Amino acid sequence: MATVAFIGLGNMGGPMAANLVKAGMTVTGFDLNPAALKALTDVGGLSANTACGAAAGADVVITMLPAGKHVRGLYLGDNSADSSGDGSNKGLLDVVGKDTLLIDCSTIDAQSARAVAAAAAEKGLEFIDAPVSGGTAGAAAGTLTFICGGSDSAFARAQTVLEAMGANIFHAGGAGAGQIAKICNNMLLSVLMVGTSEALSLGIDNGLDPKVLSDIMKVSSGGNWTLDKYNPCPGVMDNVPSSKGYQGGFMVDLMVKDLGLAMDASLASQSSTPMGALARSLYVSHARSGHGKRDFSSIFEQFAVPANDE
Ligand code: NAD
């Protein structure tokens, strides 16, 4: 069984690492947040004092971090967090064994993914970008979708560990292709979430029960993933963030980040993305009104009349 180093044990990385432990792998974790590290040791994982300490000697290194700067810093060594912990500012690429497979599951810009892949290749190491879809529920259930970019051989080597955390594993193309596919998906998701929120609010404002309206739209031409799995209107669906005060789930700040990545990519390729641009503005304004740490389905509140005003 593979020995795995797992760095970044937050909302997503924590349950993903727990599933690797469940699958019988030896998992050594590291996170800047001690509580996240403790959650891994509570389920049978091991803890390291530094990222480099976790990665040295591992067969596979998996990272699940907020953004490109964290991923570049950790792998390449220009890391203010000092991954090695000895002041030398070594990156993961400086300490891993020559056969170690590197997998970054964070959602980041494709340029950063390509830069780390190229630096890894210079050292004879294989790196894939493998961002995920499926949210915290998918991470806990081990049913994530992995969207990979990298060589055929690295993709093939990654199968066993990815299968322990996910249900669907795609190879989108070469280095960075996983990140591009992922931001296309998240741009579409943001548009669907905003559209679903405004449609539900229009129905409520005109006297409809949001549960009944959701049931109708789910099987009609407006049906989409947010209605099936992630209804933004409180009380319509159990066990989704909207019914838990929009806690947990996928933070507005992270959606803002992903929409920024989508806009950067659309500028670079001169693509027309008007709906994505509008969704980004709506999410930025929602974040700036103090909702950055809440789940992204809370955008519903920008359209709905607050319950006590009705
Ligand atoms: P999170 O903020 O909960 O977790 C990130 C973790 O990384 C934190 O625990 C933080 O302490 C740790 N960290 C940051 N810098 C570090 C460093 N240098 N060394 C070690 N640990 C470090 O975020 P999350 O929701 O788990 O998201 C992680 C990534 O997954 C993001 O790129 C996000 O866009 C993507 N993603 C999230 C979801 C979701 O539903 N939450 C879904 C798909 C993809």
Side-chain angles (χ1 to χ4, degrees):
M1 247 335 147
T3 60
V4 180
F6 206 116
I7 299 157
L9 301 162
N11 288 333
M12 295 294 289
M16 289 165 71
N19 279 328
L20 295 179
V21 174
K22 235 185 260 169
M25 297 178 201
T26 304
V27 181
T28 305
F30 176 69
D31 194 291
L32 298 176
N33 174 2
L37 201 48
K38 181 169 182 307
L40 177 64
T41 54
D42 285 350
V43 296
L46 305 170
S47 73
N49 293 328
T50 63
C52 287
D59 299 319
V60 182
V61 172
I62 301 177
T63 44
M64 191 52 160
L65 301 167
K69 66 178 178 187
H70 306 101
V71 174
R72 284 194 313 277
L74 200 62
Y75 281 95
L76 305 179
D78 53 343
N79 184 20
S80 53
D82 186 15
S83 336
S84 56
D86 62 6
S88 64
N89 250 357
K90 278 186 188 148
L92 298 183
L93 297 186
D94 298 312
V95 301
V96 296
K98 64 177 176 35
D99 293 324
T100 306
L101 175 66
L102 309 165
I103 305 175
D104 178 43
C105 296
S106 327
T107 303
I108 63 169
D109 56 293
Q111 295 94 312
S112 291
R114 290 187 195 116
V116 176
E122 267 177 33
K123 290 180 184 279
L125 295 163
E126 289 195 299
F127 170 93
I128 61 170
D129 43 297
V132 303
S133 180
T136 48
T143 56
L144 290 170
T145 296
F146 286 91
I147 311 164
C148 305
S151 69
D152 289 344
S153 69
F155 178 69
R157 284 175 68 198
Q159 291 297 311
T160 310
V161 275
L162 298 187
E163 276 166 10
M165 301 182 286
N168 302 297
I169 303 168
F170 291 102
H171 191 188
Q179 298 297 350
I180 297 287
K182 167 69 185 170
I183 56 163
C184 291
N185 177 73
N186 275 25
M187 185 179 78
L188 176 58
L189 171 62
S190 70
V191 170
L192 292 172
M193 187 55 89
V194 169
T196 298
S197 294
E198 75 181 49
L200 285 172
S201 299
L202 175 66
I204 294 165
D205 291 348
N206 284 278
L208 295 189
D209 177 335
K211 274 191 189 165
V212 174
L213 178 57
S214 295
D215 286 343
I216 293 167
M217 294 196 295
K218 255 192 329 199
V219 295
S220 303
S221 44
N224 70 76
W225 184 87
T226 71
L227 285 168
D228 287 341
K229 300 263 169 65
Y230 216 101
N231 198 298
C233 177
V236 171
M237 208 176 246
D238 292 335
N239 291 321
V240 289
S242 61
S243 294
K244 297 186 257 182
Y246 298 108
Q247 296 308 303
F250 182 50
M251 282 190 293
V252 168
D253 283 343
L254 289 176
M255 180 55 97
V256 167
K257 176 201 66 164
D258 290 358
L259 288 169
L261 295 175
M263 293 304 102
D264 288 346
S266 87
L267 281 172
S269 56
Q270 298 195 14
S271 307
S272 171
T273 50
M275 306 303 287
L278 181 54
R280 179 184 166 276
S281 286
L282 289 166
Y283 271 105
V284 167
S285 122
H286 192 47
R288 289 173 69 151
S289 325
H291 301 288
K293 304 291 173 229
R294 302 173 80 205
D295 180 70
F296 82 113
S297 62
S298 62
I299 196 80
F300 177 78
E301 291 181 349
Q302 297 288 329
F303 303 96
V305 177
N308 54 6
D309 286 7
E310 283 177 315

